[in-house]
Amino acid sequence: METIKIIVAGPRGRMGREAVQLIQRTDHFELEAVLDHKYNGILLSELEGFQGIDVPVYNDVDECLQKTKADVWIDLTVPEAGFLHTKKALEYGVRPVVGTTGFTEEQLKELKELANSKQIGCIIAPNFAIGAVLMMKFSQMAAKYFSDVEIIELHHDQKLDAPSGTAVKTAQMISTVREQKQQGHPNEKETISGARGANINGMHIHSVRLPGLIAHQQVMFGSEGQTLTIRHDSYNRASFMSGVKVSVETVTKLNDFVYGLENILE
Ligand code: NAP
């Protein structure tokens, strides 16, 4: 298998550290450089937890992309920076694999247009856990028969965006098969604002943030006399790495934009 040369943005983050480990243990992956907004001009091995990994650290995205010969840019940062990094990577002809969540619809549209016009593969996946992808698919199947659904997503309390990208993606997938419906009583009133959660196409999404949690989601369907609950739990960040691996391998063969891991799994 041909070696895939990779840059990781956000290497000190919880996901970034897992991604660096994944690259280190995968024979046909090679870490070329990292982008870290707090460090520049050092080797990664000088930072705690990266012993023996002698690749350059940049804090400027242009410099990083100009000085590094890479095939893939893995982004695991924050939405504002992640959007800029992804745009820059595409402009420099480096294929992005983006796990960073919290992009707006307009940003996703802009990235899609850029990737497609440049004919450069780009994968943005709000959830790299294979089990989460199946949860979304099973929910989409169930929504054909159950039109009433509420999504409860639960994450650690350091998460910046709400609702989660996975919850939004689940609602979007359900919307493709579900009849348009405004759920709940037509005269329903919130006595405390936000009590019924966010609303996507009439479906409600509730975001729970607590220390101790990692990434969890439960999709609850209800109809006359029955409920159906589909639930997925990620107990650690290693659960996302098989999805990152398959995305890196796939993006090198793509010439367009893909949103969601489910679109590349066979
Ligand atoms: P994290 O531990 O907070 O790591 C974020 C990293 O980004 C940190 O190293 C942080 O550095 C860095 N960062 C912050 N601001 C930056 C900037 N302006 N430019 C460049 N880097 C910056 O978060 P995480 O749990 O690893 O998650 C990272 C991203 O992945 C989030 O968007 C999260 O929602 C997403 N995520 C996706 C999946 C998936 O399956 N797709 C799964 C889990 C998480 P400092 O510490 O110095 O601020």
Side-chain angles (χ1 to χ4, degrees):
M1 227 179 233
E2 219 165 289
T3 301
I4 303 175
K5 298 179 176 196
I6 304 169
I7 297 170
V8 172
R12 282 179 303 106
R14 288 159 292 191
M15 286 288 282
R17 281 183 189 275
E18 292 290 343
V20 168
Q21 293 310 319
L22 166 75
I23 295 166
Q24 292 302 100
R25 66 173 179 265
T26 306
D27 285 345
H28 60 290
F29 287 2
E30 201 169 279
L31 185 65
E32 296 297 316
V34 297
L35 188 287
D36 190 310
H37 69 140
K38 289 194 180 146
Y39 296 92
N40 192 37
I42 59 166
L43 291 176
L44 186 60
S45 53
E46 294 173 55
L47 297 177
E48 202 188 325
F50 297 105
Q51 220 184 359
I53 310 179
D54 289 328
V55 301
V57 180
Y58 297 96
N59 68 1
D60 181 81
V61 62
D62 282 292
E63 191 187 355
C64 180
L65 284 157
Q66 277 159 11
K67 292 195 173 161
T68 313
K69 207 177 158 342
D71 306 303
V72 174
W73 176 282
I74 298 181
D75 205 279
L76 298 160
T77 60
V78 291
E80 314 77 62
F83 173 65
L84 177 80
H85 298 162
T86 308
K87 252 174 83 165
K88 290 279 183 187
L90 286 168
E91 281 160 10
Y92 281 89
V94 176
R95 292 171 151 78
V97 166
V98 182
T100 306
T101 60
F103 294 162
T104 63
E105 283 297 315
E106 292 74 47
Q107 288 175 327
L108 289 172
K109 191 165 169 267
E110 194 178 329
L111 294 173
K112 179 177 182 175
E113 281 168 7
L114 184 60
N116 290 349
S117 72
K118 288 191 157 283
Q119 299 195 332
I120 294 172
C122 174
I123 297 176
I124 299 186
N127 202 320
F128 282 120
I130 309 277
V133 171
L134 292 174
M135 168 195 62
M136 290 190 257
K137 287 201 172 202
F138 295 156
S139 300
Q140 191 182 36
M141 281 169 72
K144 271 190 199 164
Y145 307 98
F146 292 84
S147 58
D148 287 78
V149 53
E150 303 235 348
I151 299 170
I152 303 156
E153 55 97 342
L154 311 91
H155 282 83
H156 59 91
D157 63 344
Q158 298 306 302
K159 186 167 174 62
L160 293 177
D161 52 315
S164 71
T166 304
V168 174
K169 177 79 187 165
T170 308
Q172 287 167 345
M173 284 174 68
I174 289 176
S175 295
T176 62
V177 297
R178 171 185 182 264
E179 277 174 34
Q180 183 69 28
K181 180 168 190 177
Q182 195 63 40
Q183 285 177 208
H185 196 285
N187 298 329
E188 182 179 83
K189 266 203 187 81
E190 286 183 336
T191 54
I192 297 178
S193 170
R196 293 285 289 119
N199 186 325
I200 297 189
N201 300 333
M203 280 171 270
H204 292 265
I205 302 182
H206 310 272
S207 298
V208 178
R209 297 290 176 266
L210 283 173
L213 293 171
I214 303 282
H216 318 258
Q217 180 169 294
Q218 147 168 341
V219 185
M220 279 189 79
F221 296 91
S223 76
E224 193 58 44
Q226 58 180 324
T227 61
L228 169 68
T229 301
I230 300 170
R231 180 171 171 120
H232 175 260
D233 298 275
S234 274
Y235 295 110
N236 61 33
R237 285 174 179 76
S239 65
F240 302 113
M241 291 305 127
S242 53
V244 174
K245 182 168 183 277
V246 77
S247 298
V248 168
E249 288 163 349
T250 307
V251 81
T252 58
K253 298 173 207 135
L254 286 180
N255 293 317
D256 56 0
F257 177 92
V258 171
Y259 183 70
L261 191 64
E262 65 283 2
N263 295 310
I264 59 166
L265 293 180
E266 311 252 303

